[in-house]
């Protein structure tokens, strides 16, 4: 598979969500990612496609011979990624000290919820806990209702996997100057907090004066919200600027009507009712067709399975068929070194013989390791 990261060698210690997603991004962009799975293990999440574009080797890292195999892999790699709780890799004998001793140029990427230090570092948690402490969960939702859980995209994927990939690439860039690797500590609580930077600025500038669900970008403003159409499906409205708002009113048939003043928050409830009543007169797709070719900032709210069929997504190739399953295509795009279509996620240990042969192990040696349960 091509891409701007072709030739980059990554070793991934199998885990859940953030680390696999970060490594998927690297693999999508051309890196050769070898995932180290548990011997005899299986996919942690049925149907998970985050493992696409990889090779898989089964290794029992709890055995000294397994840890030694990993260190041999690391000696010829550019990056290692692990998502264990703090201290686990060290106890297995494959922590930063051991790996960087074998390969001083190695970028050692670590992704956790709470980070490698701090009072919560050794505590269990999940996406919802990390974004809660980061201040990213509380502002999401409707006024008068509890915070809305935004799937696990803010912590696991945006604040975790993407932050990890960004950190790894930054460390690789720095290595070009220093010749030295380093440890990248990507904590989801840090990443989720980073994603709220704009919100902190708006609060400081007085542009976010209300509580949850009462502001410009959180569904409080009637011209930035979702509305139920006649068929029970929804359209999104994001007409922030005056010229776009004027086009929205025209599409909705309210252009010549006496509508409440959108500049006055006290009139927002009345304006919301007018927009809601208008949207309720047609189906979602009828509104999408009416808004086509305009700057009304009205778009249909699509289910994930509908998104690949949308005309814009189809024209851009935003989704790809990987093993017969539609899923998001690699992004971003590059004009000289475009990424190819990812391969399907490998079976656990599918490439064990191939990868060990690249390390210089003879077939008889590999078979001995397999018989002893070190590899699979």
């Amino acid at each position: 598979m091509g891409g701007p990261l072709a030739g980059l060698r990554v070793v991934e210690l199998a885990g859940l969500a953030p680390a696999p997603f970060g490594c998927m991004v690297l693999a999508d962009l051309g890196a050769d990612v070898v995932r180290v799975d548990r011997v005899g293990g299986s996919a942690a999440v049925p149907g998970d496609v985050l493992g696409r574009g990889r090779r898989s080797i089964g290794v029992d890292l709890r055995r000294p011979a397994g840890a030694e195999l990993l260190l041999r892999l690391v000696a010829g790699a550019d990056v290692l990624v692990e998502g264990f709780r703090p201290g686990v890799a060290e106890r297995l004998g494959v922590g930063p000290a051991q790996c960087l001793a074998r390969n001083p140029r190695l970028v050692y990427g670590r992704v956790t919820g709470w980070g490698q230090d701090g009072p919560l570092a050794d505590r269990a948690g999940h996406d919802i806990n990390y974004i809660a402490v980061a201040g990213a969960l509380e502002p999401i939702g409707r006024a008068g209702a509890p915070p809305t859980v935004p799937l696990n995209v803010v912590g696991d994927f945006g604040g975790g996997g993407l932050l990890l990939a960004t950190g790894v690439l930054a460390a690789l860039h720095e290595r070009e100057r220093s010749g030295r690797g380093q440890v990248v500590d990507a904590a989801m609580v840090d990443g989720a907090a980073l994603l709220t930077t704009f919100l902190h600025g708006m609060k400081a500038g007085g542009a976010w004066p209300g509580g949850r669900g009462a502001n410009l970008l959180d569904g409080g403003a009637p011209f930035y919200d979702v509305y139920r159409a006649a068929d029970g499906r929804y359209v999104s409205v994001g007409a922030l600027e005056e010229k776009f708002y004027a086009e929205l009113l025209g599409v909705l048939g309210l252009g010549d009507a006496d509508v409440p003043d959108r500049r006055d928050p006290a009139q927002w409830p009345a304006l919301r009712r007018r927009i809601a009543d208008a949207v309720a007169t047609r189906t979602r797709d009828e509104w999408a067709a009416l808004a086509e070719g305009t700057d009304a900032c009205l778009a249909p709210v699509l289910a994930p399975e509908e998104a690949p069929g949308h005309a814009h997504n189809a024209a851009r190739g935003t989704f790809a068929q990987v093993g017969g399953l539609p899923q998001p295509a690699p992004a971003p795009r590059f004009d000289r070194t475009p990424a190819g279509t990812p391969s399907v996620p490998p079976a656990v240990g599918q490439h064990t013989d191939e990868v060990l042969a690249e390390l210089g192990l003879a077939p008889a040696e590999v078979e001995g390791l397999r018989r002893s349960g070190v590899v699979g």
Side-chain angles (χ1 to χ4, degrees):
M1 178 173 167
L5 297 184
L8 186 73
R9 292 165 295 180
V10 179
V11 176
E12 172 193 3
L13 304 188
L16 290 173
F21 180 68
C23 288
M24 185 200 83
V25 171
L26 299 177
D28 279 355
L29 299 184
D32 176 14
V33 180
V34 174
R35 187 181 68 208
V36 178
D37 286 303
R38 288 188 304 109
V39 173
S42 58
V45 179
D48 186 7
V49 300
L50 297 180
R52 70 191 192 188
R54 311 282 212 285
R55 295 190 290 167
S56 169
I57 176 173
V59 180
D60 187 349
L61 293 178
R62 297 168 298 179
R63 298 175 180 236
E68 174 60 26
L69 268 182
L70 178 66
L71 293 175
R72 291 182 64 175
L73 273 174
V74 160
D78 297 293
V79 179
L80 179 137
V81 169
E82 59 98 346
F84 299 142
R85 289 172 72 168
V88 172
E90 285 83 351
R91 290 195 294 273
L92 291 171
V94 295
Q98 295 95 333
C99 289
L100 286 165
R102 292 292 182 99
N103 180 359
R105 289 176 53 83
L106 182 73
V107 172
Y108 194 110
R110 321 189 80 169
V111 58
T112 58
W114 303 115
Q116 296 297 317
D117 55 25
L120 296 176
D122 62 352
R123 294 277 300 277
H126 281 293
D127 177 292
I128 193 170
N129 309 123
Y130 312 137
I131 70 173
V133 172
L137 177 59
E138 191 277 339
I140 302 173
R142 293 293 180 182
T148 296
V149 181
L151 302 177
N152 61 333
V153 297
V154 178
D156 281 347
F157 300 116
L162 275 182
L163 184 75
L164 170 70
T166 301
V168 163
L169 295 176
L172 288 169
H173 176 70
E174 191 279 336
R175 190 181 72 176
E176 293 300 305
R177 299 192 301 274
S178 69
R180 299 171 58 195
Q182 61 181 305
V183 177
V184 177
D185 175 5
M188 285 174 262
V189 66
D190 297 347
L194 187 66
L195 293 174
T196 68
T197 303
F198 183 66
L199 174 59
H200 281 272
M202 293 187 73
K203 282 182 173 288
W208 198 276
R212 179 170 53 253
N215 302 282
L216 186 65
L217 300 176
D218 60 0
F223 42 86
Y224 197 90
D225 206 349
V226 295
Y227 290 92
R228 185 182 177 93
D231 56 353
R233 295 188 286 184
Y234 292 85
V235 298
S236 65
V237 167
L240 293 173
E241 294 81 2
E242 286 288 351
K243 60 182 179 179
F244 302 150
Y245 178 65
E247 291 207 40
L248 172 68
L249 294 183
V251 167
L252 295 178
L254 300 174
D256 297 325
D258 181 19
V259 296
D261 186 354
R262 81 179 196 135
R263 295 168 296 182
D264 180 5
Q267 298 190 48
W268 282 2
L271 178 57
R272 187 182 308 279
R273 288 192 293 271
R274 292 294 297 276
I275 295 175
D277 289 345
V279 172
T281 63
R282 297 180 186 270
T283 67
R284 180 196 69 179
D285 293 345
E286 287 173 338
W287 284 119
L290 285 171
E292 189 172 346
T294 76
D295 283 334
C297 299
L298 182 153
V301 176
L302 302 178
E305 61 271 18
E306 293 180 289
H310 188 275
H312 182 79
N313 294 335
R316 280 186 58 81
T318 301
F319 292 82
Q321 289 281 337
V322 181
L325 178 69
Q327 53 192 268
R333 298 158 192 237
F334 301 84
D335 67 343
R336 289 192 300 102
T337 58
T341 300
S343 60
V344 299
V348 170
Q350 180 178 336
H351 304 94
T352 298
D353 290 0
E354 175 183 309
V355 173
L356 294 185
E358 292 173 2
L359 283 180
L361 276 70
E365 192 176 359
V366 174
E367 186 55 34
L369 290 170
R370 181 171 281 110
R371 283 198 305 270
S372 66
V374 174
V375 304

